[in-house]
Amino acid sequence: MTNDLVIQGLVKTFGRVHAIDDLSLTVKQGQLATLLGPSGCGKTTTLNCIAGLENPDEGLIRVGDFALTDTAKGRILPPEQRQLGMVFQSYALWPHMKVFDNVAFSLKLQKVRRDEIKKRVFEALDLVGLADMAERYPFQLSGGQQQRVALARAVVTRPRLLLLDEPLSNLDAKIRENSRVWLRNLQQQVGITTVYVTHDQSEAFAMSDMIAVMDQGRLLQYAPPEELYASPATQFVAEFIGATSFLKGAIHAINGSRLKVRVGSGDILALSDRSGRQWVENQNVVVGIRSERVEIARGQSENLLHAGVVVSTYLGAKWQHEVDTGSGRLKVETVDSVTSDRLSLYLPPDSILLFPE
Ligand SMILES: Nc1ncnc2c1ncn2[C@@H]1O[C@H](COP(=O)(O)OP(=O)(O)OP(=O)(O)O)[C@@H](O)[C@H]1O
Ligand SMILES: [Mg+2]
């Protein structure tokens, strides 16, 4: 019996708002799954349901055989009996308590023996690299150090689940990037099943075993990062997780999973479709293009797209050009400036995604 986190048929409404709309997903024991999606899509509400801070209208939430919430059986376990560690966006530490006491607090509530508390608090502080700051008060720490104390506090009880809601949001960009590597290492070292919430896609890609993309309370796709990037299930997912531009087009020819599409400019693009969808010739489609893969053509004879430059912007390390293809606009990056107001672009087959119109 593994201790996977299993969520089935979760529904939560607030009046007329469907905050969570029939959400099901499984987080394998020891893995980190990220809930990713725009503001208001239901990430925090999902986390709160797992934590027992919010009661869903319907649904089952269990860890292995241990049911946390089962609305069909009227079971709603109170938060303190769920054995969870949590860090919220505002991870407030108790300002009047030293670091040691902040971390020791829930162990004291559990009436753990004093020498055992000391041992476990220092274990947790060691993990986050703050063992020498146990005697400080929160105001004597930097923001990043405070966040680490909050994490130590969350793992010290050896919870069966770790729930993290934008735990790095209060850090500046540089520290944030270091912290996510550090946090991911910590999670893997402790081997704790974790649900992580962010609306930052690069953070989601850097940290996750699995990513759940949500919109308006619905789960749109649940997949490992590489799969999500290579074959996004819908146009929304493609748009949300990467710099994708969309052009109107039509199916030109079909040869198994190898397709040719014609875009408005008249250019023909070949691609290999991984979506498993059925297509028919002349069907109208939306062609998604990964901007970061597009190149200025250098002698290629296929997969060329001709476009006029609308505006070029110098970004320091590179140039970004917005181009008009006649069937939609596209952003393209080059290292050098371009001199012509028309460009021949080369689109590698794996830079092209296809969606029904
Ligand atoms: N207590 C509440 N009462 C009424 N509506 C609520 C309540 N809590 C959340 N909502 C609504 O439910 C939806 C989901 O909210 P939630 O906080 O889960 O979003 P989120 O994905 O965490 O967004 P963000 O990225 O902004 O934190 C939103 O439309 C929100 O307005
Ligand atoms: Mg939220």
Side-chain angles (χ1 to χ4, degrees), residues 235 245-254 259-264 267 269 271 273 275 277-289 327-328 352-357:
Q235 200 177 326
S245 310
F246 298 96
L247 307 179
K248 288 193 167 131
I251 301 286
H252 178 68
I254 304 174
L259 302 173
K260 285 186 176 170
V261 291
R262 184 178 52 251
V263 290
D267 292 309
L269 304 171
L271 66 133
D273 178 48
S275 73
R277 289 196 188 86
Q278 293 294 318
W279 307 98
V280 292
E281 266 179 42
N282 295 319
Q283 178 184 348
N284 287 333
V285 292
V286 174
V287 182
I289 295 172
S327 56
I352 307 170
L353 304 164
L354 212 54
F355 301 98
E357 196 187 27

Side-chain angles (χ1 to χ4, degrees), residues 170-186:
N170 292 346
L171 305 180
D172 70 42
K174 185 84 187 159
I175 300 178
R176 194 174 165 136
E177 265 184 40
N178 293 337
S179 298
R180 70 191 185 197
V181 175
W182 169 84
L183 180 55
R184 174 61 162 160
N185 287 340
L186 174 69

Side-chain angles (χ1 to χ4, degrees), residues 131-148:
D132 55 343
M133 301 200 181
E135 292 304 309
R136 293 207 196 173
Y137 286 94
F139 75 88
Q140 297 168 313
L141 301 175
S142 74
Q145 289 165 340
Q146 291 181 34
Q147 209 131 35
R148 288 173 182 219

Side-chain angles (χ1 to χ4, degrees), residues 83-88 91 93-94 102-104 106 124 127-128 147-164 167 183 186 190 192:
Q83 302 177 32
L84 309 162
M86 287 183 270
V87 177
F88 288 113
Y91 51 88
L93 302 174
W94 290 289
N102 262 283
V103 179
S106 45
L127 269 177
V128 300
Q147 209 131 35
R148 288 173 182 219
V149 176
L151 281 160
R153 192 171 62 177
V155 297
V156 76
T157 55
R158 300 178 187 156
R160 45 176 99 224
L161 276 183
L162 189 58
L163 305 178
L164 304 172
L183 180 55
L186 174 69
V190 182
I192 184 170

Side-chain angles (χ1 to χ4, degrees), residues 15 56 62 71 86 90 118 136 162 176 190 198 207 209 230 233 261 289 304 313 319 322 326 348:
R62 62 180 169 86
T71 56
M86 287 183 270
S90 51
K118 190 168 172 194
R136 293 207 196 173
L162 189 58
R176 194 174 165 136
V190 182
T198 183
M207 307 231 3
D209 296 298
V261 291
I289 295 172
L304 300 178
T313 313
W319 285 83
E322 186 167 341

Side-chain angles (χ1 to χ4, degrees), residues 279-350:
W279 307 98
V280 292
E281 266 179 42
N282 295 319
Q283 178 184 348
N284 287 333
V285 292
V286 174
V287 182
I289 295 172
R290 298 272 186 213
S291 305
E292 69 274 18
R293 304 291 321 275
V294 176
E295 305 162 21
I296 303 289
R298 273 178 237 280
Q300 290 95 344
S301 55
E302 283 193 311
N303 277 31
L304 300 178
L305 186 66
H306 299 90
V309 178
V310 180
V311 57
S312 294
T313 313
Y314 183 53
L315 301 177
K318 60 196 173 188
W319 285 83
Q320 188 178 68
H321 316 279
E322 186 167 341
V323 301
D324 192 344
T325 66
S327 56
R329 288 190 176 184
L330 197 68
K331 286 204 172 79
V332 188
E333 290 175 352
T334 60
V335 175
D336 300 314
S337 62
V338 297
T339 45
S340 161
D341 62 355
R342 287 202 61 79
L343 292 178
S344 282
L345 303 173
Y346 170 64
L347 278 57
D350 64 355

